[in-house]
């Protein structure tokens, strides 16, 4: 299962670096793309731990960035 093109628009990290809310937007993604990303969060977090050289576990939560949608609607209204 693939999610297509994903853009990470923002990341909010907790003070102790144990939790990251990752805001994403998709280009022509299937309806289950967000849940598919969430299902892959553990291997992605593991890869990030190695790259960032963190020692404590990291939990990633993927959230849909709705601001991109709002901006697109605004531009369509102005056309």
């Amino acid at each position: 299962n693939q999610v297509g093109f994903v853009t990470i628009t923002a990341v909010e990290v907790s003070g102790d670096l144990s939790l990251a809310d990752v805001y994403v937007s998709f280009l022509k993604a299937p309806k289950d793309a967000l849940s598919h990303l969430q299902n892959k969060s553990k291997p992605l977090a593991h890869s990030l731990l190695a790259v960032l050289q963190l020692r404590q576990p990291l939990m990633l939560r993927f959230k849909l960035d709705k601001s991109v949608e709002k901006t697109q609607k605004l531009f369509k209204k102005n056309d």
Side-chain angles (χ1 to χ4, degrees), residues 3 18 41 46 78:
V3 296
S18 66
S41 66
H46 183 72
N78 291 330

Side-chain angles (χ1 to χ4, degrees), residues 7-67:
T7 301
I8 296 173
T9 57
V11 178
E12 294 177 357
V13 182
S14 65
D16 64 356
L17 305 177
S18 66
L19 174 65
D21 288 328
V22 182
Y23 292 87
V24 296
S25 64
F26 299 98
L27 181 64
K28 297 182 181 180
K31 292 181 182 184
D32 64 343
L34 193 60
S35 64
H36 182 68
L37 268 182
Q38 195 60 48
N39 290 339
K40 298 294 182 185
S41 66
K42 286 185 181 182
L44 290 170
H46 183 72
S47 296
L48 280 173
L49 284 174
V51 171
L52 299 174
Q53 298 179 349
L54 298 175
R55 294 184 183 195
Q56 72 253 18
L58 173 64
M59 184 174 128
L60 300 175
R61 290 190 303 198
F62 291 95
K63 297 182 176 187
L64 186 60
D65 185 348
K66 296 182 181 182
S67 67

Side-chain angles (χ1 to χ4, degrees), residues 64-79:
L64 186 60
D65 185 348
K66 296 182 181 182
S67 67
V68 174
E69 249 179 57
K70 290 178 185 177
T71 303
Q72 288 174 340
K73 286 179 184 177
L74 182 65
F75 279 116
K76 284 182 183 180
K77 284 183 182 179
N78 291 330
D79 284 344

